[in-house]
Amino acid sequence: MAGGGVVDSSSTMKVYPGRMTAFIIFATLVAACGGLMMGYDIGVSGGVTAMSSFLEPFFPDVYRKEQGVVSSNQYCKFDSHKLTFFTSSLYLAALVVQWPASYSTSKHGRKFSIIVGAIIFLLGAALNAAAIHVAMLYIGRLLLGLGVGFVIQAVPLYLSEMAPSKSRGFLNTMFQFMITIGILTANLVNFGTNKIKGGWGWRLSLGLAAVPAAIVLLGSISLPDSPNSMIKRGVSEEEVKKNLRRLRGTDDIHEEYHDLCEACANASKDDNNNNNKWGAIFQRKYRPQMVMAFLIPFFQQVTGINVIMFYAPVLFQTLGFGNDASLISSVITGGVNALATLFAIVAVDRKGRRFLFLQGGLQMLFSQLIIGFLILKVFGVAGVASVSKGYAYGIVALICVYVAGFAWSWGPLGWLVPSEIFPLEIRSTGQGINATINMLMTFVIGQVFLSLLCATKFSLFFIFAFFVLSMTIFVYFFLPETKGIPIEDMSKVWNQHWFWRRFAPSEDPTRSVEMV
């Protein structure tokens, strides 16, 4: 059909002309490498903090516990607020920077924020690799966190706005896939550097964080900004249309351009009516999006996934594995994480968001419960025991089942859904809240996990299981399906939801979308 938007024969969802072009694939891969930065850092910190050559000079009290000099309680031997702050300080910095990052992303564009994040991250990686005392480690981690803060604010928005609506889930999930690749790469690097003689392998592990940041920085320079951001910032019509033609691989971009301009005009009108943009999201008409901006990142973090990801080597040592065995086990879980995310990439635009959320939630719930019971049986309350090979393999297998469930549900969807549900006028604000809650919960869990493990022992896994059950119930009742809905028409899904329609403003019925 020539001219204008076309209507999918199987539904009333609007589908714009165009195809998946090499240009959009390149832009997606470069931007998604922001996830590589975040993933590498998640994976590398846990492995480094399990290396004796790193612990002895910087955290000698933990080193003595790890060697069994001070404590024999397996639950408590890594309990150190100084050590956990090394890991969690990154997320504190990413939390603090969300407000300026949101302003930058809205005012100067998504591309600008991605470049700023990559530059700051490079500085942090260099400082960590050269650290000679704990203060340098902390400052380097804080710089890494500032860089991550800009990236997680801008990249999910960039991917959702660049992608065609029918492929938005596929392209946006590349961000989470790159996070998993970064974690796996870091685990492999840690396994190799731990064997370097001379005790400097941890420097190489920390310094190699500069590689994904350099990829993002160099690649982003050649990328355009998203059409939505270009229109909102007043870029000329000719430039926006030229960009759209390259992205969609067709000259028939008039209908999509018209809808983007209409969405931008509505956003500008709301901006003029709301001097306080951060306060605007709390208006009644944005209540559904606001609730999702708070609860989705909260639930994503209280699954306990970061306990597994950035403390995997420490956790496996706590469970009685040897040093090399713990690093190998974390490599295995990292590989499962990456492979399972590939399933999400394929399934998210076919099965839908809700299906993956619910299936993954149930899988995490049952595996988390069984892990808790196994640890209870082996270590009891005292936390002193030796783990047989059978139990060790069983715990690793169950953790892999748990990681797979997260990797094709709450992992990618925790970034995808918030980035696609907000109208343009509050999109940067909404993503700012999403990233802020995400980083806040990551910081809190990262900082208190080892102390909680020491205090609650095996019960900690049951606490996480309770949250997994709660969030699965929440999705079942309150999250509408957003598969295939054009991002400019996303507000329509709330009008047709049994609960949220009482808050959503009435819409033109001629532009309704079909709920999946």
Side-chain angles (χ1 to χ4, degrees):
M1 178 178 177
V6 298
V7 177
D8 186 285
S9 60
S10 62
S11 74
T12 59
M13 291 187 297
K14 180 179 291 187
V15 179
Y16 299 114
R19 57 184 173 81
M20 185 72 71
T21 62
F23 180 67
I24 197 171
I25 291 174
F26 172 72
T28 297
L29 288 175
V30 170
C33 281
L36 199 63
M37 293 164 48
M38 184 176 179
Y40 185 88
D41 195 81
I42 291 173
V44 79
S45 59
V48 164
T49 53
M51 294 182 185
S52 297
S53 59
F54 175 80
L55 291 176
E56 187 175 8
F58 292 106
F59 304 97
D61 55 333
V62 179
Y63 175 74
R64 289 193 297 270
K65 287 184 181 180
E66 193 266 338
Q67 296 298 313
V69 176
V70 176
S71 172
S72 60
N73 189 322
Q74 294 294 317
Y75 292 123
C76 301
K77 69 178 183 177
F78 286 97
D79 182 19
S80 166
H81 289 294
K82 290 182 180 179
L83 178 62
T84 52
F85 188 73
F86 167 73
T87 297
S88 60
S89 57
L90 179 146
Y91 304 100
L92 178 63
L95 163 66
V96 172
V97 84
Q98 280 311 301
W99 311 118
S102 175
Y103 174 82
S104 168
T105 303
S106 178
K107 187 73 173 179
H108 302 294
R110 289 42 167 153
K111 172 184 173 179
F112 178 83
S113 288
I114 294 172
I115 291 175
V116 169
I119 292 172
I120 299 175
F121 195 92
L122 277 170
L123 295 175
L127 194 60
N128 265 354
I132 56 176
H133 49 72
V134 174
M136 288 182 69
L137 285 177
Y138 287 158
I139 294 172
R141 290 290 291 176
L142 291 172
L143 287 173
L144 292 173
L146 296 178
V148 167
F150 273 91
V151 166
I152 64 175
Q153 163 65 222
V155 169
L157 293 183
Y158 185 83
L159 295 175
S160 285
E161 291 177 347
M162 294 285 277
S165 57
K166 61 185 177 182
S167 304
R168 189 174 59 247
F170 166 76
L171 294 177
N172 192 287
T173 3
M174 290 299 297
F175 179 66
Q176 176 66 22
F177 179 64
M178 287 297 183
I179 291 177
T180 66
I181 293 297
I183 293 171
L184 176 60
T185 301
N187 289 334
L188 291 169
V189 168
N190 284 334
F191 181 71
T193 58
N194 190 48
K195 298 181 179 300
I196 294 178
K197 303 296 183 183
W200 56 270
W202 62 270
R203 294 187 183 275
L204 181 59
S205 289
L206 295 179
L208 286 176
V211 174
I215 294 173
V216 173
L217 177 60
L218 296 176
S220 296
I221 293 173
S222 63
L223 295 182
D225 214 330
S226 69
N228 312 61
S229 179
M230 293 172 72
I231 295 173
K232 191 171 187 292
R233 292 183 293 111
V235 177
S236 68
E237 177 180 341
E238 180 181 353
E239 284 297 312
V240 178
K241 287 186 173 180
K242 178 181 177 182
N243 186 24
L244 263 179
R245 291 188 187 99
R246 290 184 70 191
L247 289 172
R248 306 297 181 241
T250 178
D251 291 331
D252 191 4
I253 47 85
H254 306 292
E255 181 73 8
E256 183 173 6
Y257 177 77
H258 173 270
D259 287 349
L260 289 172
C261 290
E262 183 180 350
C264 186
N266 291 333
S268 298
K269 188 195 314 181
D270 283 345
D271 283 347
N272 294 331
N273 293 334
N274 298 292
N275 294 325
N276 182 3
K277 292 184 180 181
W278 287 100
I281 196 173
F282 293 97
Q283 293 180 17
R284 179 180 176 84
K285 65 179 179 178
Y286 299 133
R287 190 69 50 77
Q289 296 95 328
M290 185 268 289
V291 170
M292 298 301 164
F294 277 91
L295 288 186
I296 288 179
F298 172 82
F299 282 137
Q300 186 191 47
Q301 295 309 311
V302 295
T303 58
I305 186 61
N306 280 334
V307 169
I308 303 296
M309 288 296 105
F310 57 65
Y311 286 124
V314 172
L315 180 63
F316 284 124
Q317 282 198 39
T318 299
L319 296 177
F321 291 58
N323 193 43
D324 279 352
S326 70
L327 289 172
I328 292 173
S329 299
S330 64
V331 169
I332 293 172
T333 56
V336 170
N337 192 23
L339 290 174
T341 305
L342 284 175
F343 174 78
I345 292 174
V346 174
V348 66
D349 287 319
R350 298 181 181 181
K351 297 290 188 179
R353 283 61 161 157
R354 280 172 53 84
F355 172 84
L356 293 179
F357 266 133
L358 296 173
Q359 192 280 332
L362 292 174
Q363 184 170 325
M364 286 189 289
L365 173 63
F366 290 115
S367 57
Q368 192 83 277
L369 288 173
I370 298 173
I371 290 170
F373 281 118
L374 284 178
I375 294 175
L376 167 61
K377 185 173 182 180
V378 175
F379 292 103
V381 177
V384 180
S386 59
V387 182
S388 67
K389 284 189 176 181
Y391 268 98
Y393 293 145
I395 291 172
V396 171
L398 284 166
I399 287 177
C400 287
V401 172
Y402 165 81
V403 168
F406 178 87
W408 58 52
S409 61
W410 281 89
L413 299 180
W415 296 106
L416 167 60
V417 173
S419 73
E420 67 183 1
I421 61 175
F422 296 103
L424 183 60
E425 63 269 18
I426 60 165
R427 193 168 294 157
S428 293
T429 304
Q431 181 62 17
I433 292 176
N434 174 59
T436 297
I437 300 300
N438 190 299
M439 291 298 101
L440 173 63
M441 294 307 302
T442 305
F443 168 74
V444 170
I445 291 175
Q447 187 63 27
V448 306
F449 162 65
L450 292 176
S451 295
L452 279 176
L453 183 62
C454 183
T456 64
K457 303 174 176 56
F458 61 88
S459 301
L460 181 60
F461 294 91
F462 298 139
I463 294 172
F464 286 134
F466 168 77
F467 282 115
V468 172
L469 175 62
S470 300
M471 68 197 204
T472 303
I473 294 173
F474 170 78
V475 166
Y476 182 80
F477 286 105
F478 295 107
L479 184 68
E481 181 58 71
T482 55
K483 179 186 75 172
I485 308 296
I487 199 168
E488 293 75 33
D489 285 333
M490 193 61 67
S491 61
K492 314 300 187 299
V493 302
W494 309 108
N495 295 87
Q496 301 170 53
H497 187 272
W498 70 273
F499 180 80
W500 298 120
R501 63 188 176 193
R502 70 188 68 182
F503 300 101
S506 58
E507 298 283 353
D508 181 359
T510 62
R511 294 196 63 189
S512 64
V513 296
E514 179 177 299
M515 297 295 290
V516 181

